[in-house]
Amino acid sequence: MSAPIEVLVRAVDAGDTYLSWRWLDRPDHCEYAVVAADTVERVLAQLSAALPALQAGESGNDGVERALTGAYTDRDAELKLTEALTVAVLPVAFAAQLSRRSARGEQVRVRLTPSARLAGLPWELLIVDSVHRMLEIADIVYEPPAAVHAGRDNLPSDWSVSAHRPALLLIDPRTPSGAEAHHLGPVLNRADHSDFTDRVDSYVTAGRIPAAERARCVAARVSRRDLATALRTERSRLFYFGHISSVVDEPGSAALHLHDTRRNWGMAEPLTRPDPHGNPIVSSGDHRPLAAIDLLLGTLAGDSAAHRVYGHTDPQPGARLWPMPPRVALIACEGGVDYRSAETFGLVVAMVNAGAALVTTTRWTLPTNRAFADFGPGTTAKPTTELGLRVDRAHEGLDPVGELRAWQRECLHRWQAGGDIADSPLVWASLSHTIAPWRP
C-alpha cells in the first residue's frame, strides 16, 4: 500500500477560531477558514451536554445519567448533533477536498493541531459528505506544537527496534484509601478484572511480560517509585487504564493516580478532605497524584531525601526518572487535556518529552461498564473494557492508529444499523492519537 497523502490542519483561537490546512503534495498552497466564536461555542455547549463530565450545579452521577440518556445514546439525536458540529467547524472547501481524494482512492492522514476551543471535538464523527464520516475516509492524528519537538529530553526509538522489549501494563492500579473520598477508587468491578488478567496471562505465556511482573499488572499497589523502577527496564510500550484528573486552565496539573500518599514527595498537592467548615483535614494518608509537572521536572525542585528515593544524590529531570517507551496508552477520563489550554502541557506532552512517539488517550470522561448496564437494560456488553482491550491489542501491532480506526468504523456501522447503547460513540469516539516521531 502506498504512503498516505498528508494534510496539516492547524487551529488558532483569536476571538474567532482560524482553521488552516495545507496538503503536503501541494506544500506551497495553504488555505484557511474562519470559524465564528459564537457559532462554535453554541454547538460545543450541545456537545458538552452529551458528555458525562459534571456541569455547573451537578454532583455525583448526574453527568453520567445525563450522558447515558442524551444525544450520544440516540441515533437521530447523535446525527443531528454531528451535523451541527460539522456545519460549525468543518470548512466546506476542506470537506470537498477530502471527499474528492477519497473518491480517487487516495489514503489520507489528517495531522491536526487543535486550538483550546476545539480540543474536545470528535473530529472522526464529522460528516464529510452526505454519506461518509471523517473516520471512514481518513486517519486523524494530533500533533503537538512544533516547540514540543525542540529540545526533547528523550528521543523515541523506532518501533522496529523496541517492539521485542517487554510491555508495561498498569490496569486499575489501587489508590490509597484517602483517594476514594475524591471518587478515585477502583474503575472496574472485580468481575471485570478477569478480562484483563486473561490478557496479561497471554502476554506472560508469549514472553511479552516477565512472569515476575504478572501480579503487578492488574489492581496492584504501584507507586511513582515503583513506576520509575519498572521503567529502568527498556520497554516497548506503557498501557495505563485507570484514573486521570486535571484542573481546568492549569497546565501541568493533569495527573495519574497511583498508590502515593502525602509521604511520597511530589509537586502536586495532596488531596485533602474538608471539615464541616470547609477547612482541610490534613492526614498522612492523603493521596498525592503523579502530575505532568512531576514527569517533566522530576526532583529538580526536591530535596536530598527526594533524590535518594530514586537512587540519586542530585536532582534528576522527570524524563530520566520516568523514561517513556515509544508507545503509551492512557485510557482514563480526559487523558488528553493538553490541548484544552492555551499553553499545551499535560500528560501527553510530558510523555512525548520523555520519549513517546505515539500517545493514545481519551478526550472526555468515560462511563463505566456498570453505568451502561444500568441505563441499557439487558445489556451484557462492557464498552469501556472493550475500548481498553482494543487499544492494548492495537499497540502491540505495526499500525495501531489504522487498526483502531478500522475498529471505530465497525462501531460506527453497528451504531448506525442498530442504535444499541453499547455501540454508543460515548466510548469509542473518545479516542485520540498524538504522534511525535523522532525528526532528525
Side-chain angles (χ1 to χ4, degrees):
M1 183 182 293
S2 59
I5 303 296
E6 296 186 327
V7 56
L8 305 184
V9 179
R10 303 291 183 259
V12 177
D13 299 327
D16 293 331
T17 296
Y18 293 79
L19 201 68
S20 67
W21 66 97
R22 185 191 304 268
W23 293 91
L24 292 190
D25 59 350
R26 298 183 61 196
D28 58 333
H29 184 67
C30 183
E31 300 176 77
Y32 77 94
V34 181
V35 178
D38 56 347
T39 300
V40 74
E41 292 286 4
R42 187 163 53 249
V43 73
L44 288 178
Q46 297 175 39
L47 173 62
S48 180
L51 300 176
L54 291 174
Q55 297 190 333
E58 293 182 332
S59 60
N61 292 322
D62 291 350
V64 171
E65 181 174 353
R66 171 174 38 76
L68 286 173
T69 55
Y72 275 164
T73 58
D74 178 271
R75 282 181 300 175
D76 293 338
E78 182 271 320
L79 179 60
K80 184 176 180 180
L81 172 57
T82 301
E83 288 173 341
L85 289 169
T86 301
V87 170
V89 172
L90 188 63
V92 173
F94 181 47
Q97 291 165 14
L98 285 170
S99 183
R100 284 197 299 270
R101 286 178 178 267
S102 176
R104 294 200 296 261
E106 296 179 4
Q107 302 296 314
V108 175
R109 168 165 284 196
V110 178
R111 292 164 47 184
L112 169 70
T113 302
S115 66
R117 183 176 287 148
L118 302 183
L121 188 72
W123 296 84
E124 292 81 358
L125 292 179
L126 299 186
I127 302 168
V128 176
D129 50 40
S130 59
V131 177
H132 299 104
R133 305 290 184 104
M134 278 190 75
L135 70 85
E136 294 179 285
I137 65 173
D139 284 337
I140 302 170
V141 295
Y142 283 1
E143 281 200 346
V148 174
H149 288 271
R152 292 164 72 172
D153 286 346
N154 295 339
L155 295 176
S157 59
D158 190 83
W159 182 247
S160 62
V161 174
S162 60
H164 71 282
R165 297 170 183 163
L168 178 59
L169 276 62
L170 301 178
I171 298 159
D172 203 7
R174 292 178 61 182
T175 53
S177 58
E180 295 195 13
H182 301 273
H183 308 290
L184 296 171
V187 298
L188 294 171
N189 296 329
R190 284 181 179 271
D192 293 337
H193 284 160
S194 63
D195 297 306
F196 287 100
T197 54
D198 289 347
R199 177 66 57 84
V200 169
D201 288 344
S202 71
Y203 286 150
V204 172
T205 301
R208 293 294 295 126
I209 294 175
E213 296 183 5
R214 183 199 306 261
R216 189 181 60 198
C217 293
V218 181
R221 292 188 179 189
V222 179
S223 70
R224 65 189 63 204
R225 181 181 179 182
D226 296 329
L227 178 59
T229 300
L231 288 170
R232 288 176 191 166
T233 298
E234 289 188 314
R235 304 283 177 168
S236 58
R237 60 188 188 89
L238 168 64
F239 177 85
Y240 174 87
F241 186 104
H243 285 291
I244 287 177
S245 64
S246 63
V247 179
V248 176
D249 295 327
E250 189 174 314
S253 67
L256 305 174
H257 295 277
L258 303 176
H259 207 277
D260 293 315
T261 66
R262 181 180 293 276
R263 296 188 182 95
N264 301 95
W265 187 88
M267 300 192 69
E269 286 297 315
L271 304 180
T272 59
R273 289 176 295 168
D275 66 16
H277 304 290
N279 300 311
I281 303 173
V282 176
S283 167
S284 61
D286 291 338
H287 171 52
R288 189 190 298 275
L290 176 60
I293 194 68
D294 289 303
L295 296 175
L296 179 68
L297 297 182
T299 58
L300 295 182
D303 56 19
S304 58
H307 310 155
R308 288 195 299 271
V309 166
Y310 300 98
H312 299 280
T313 58
D314 54 351
Q316 300 295 319
R320 183 167 182 185
L321 299 178
W322 299 285
M324 289 296 144
R327 291 182 179 176
V328 174
L330 303 173
I331 306 305
C333 295
E334 297 185 310
V337 297
D338 299 61
Y339 301 98
R340 192 172 65 186
S341 301
E343 181 181 346
T344 307
F345 177 52
L347 289 170
V348 171
V349 168
M351 291 183 172
V352 165
N353 176 68
L358 166 67
V359 181
T360 297
T361 187
T362 50
R363 296 184 177 100
W364 56 66
T365 300
L366 300 178
T368 63
N369 294 327
R370 179 179 289 272
F372 276 97
D374 290 343
F375 288 92
T379 185
T380 58
K382 301 177 181 179
T384 307
T385 292
E386 183 182 6
L387 177 75
L389 292 171
R390 290 281 185 169
V391 172
D392 170 65
R393 179 66 72 189
H395 271 226
E396 281 281 288
L398 292 176
D399 180 17
V401 174
E403 184 174 333
L404 287 167
R405 176 188 161 204
W407 171 65
Q408 288 178 305
R409 286 200 302 268
E410 294 173 4
C411 293
L412 172 65
H413 296 157
R414 287 199 306 269
W415 168 245
Q416 291 173 323
D420 191 285
I421 192 171
D423 298 319
S424 164
L426 268 176
V427 173
W428 57 262
S430 69
L431 282 182
S432 68
H433 310 282
T434 294
I435 60 168
W438 179 30
R439 293 175 176 169

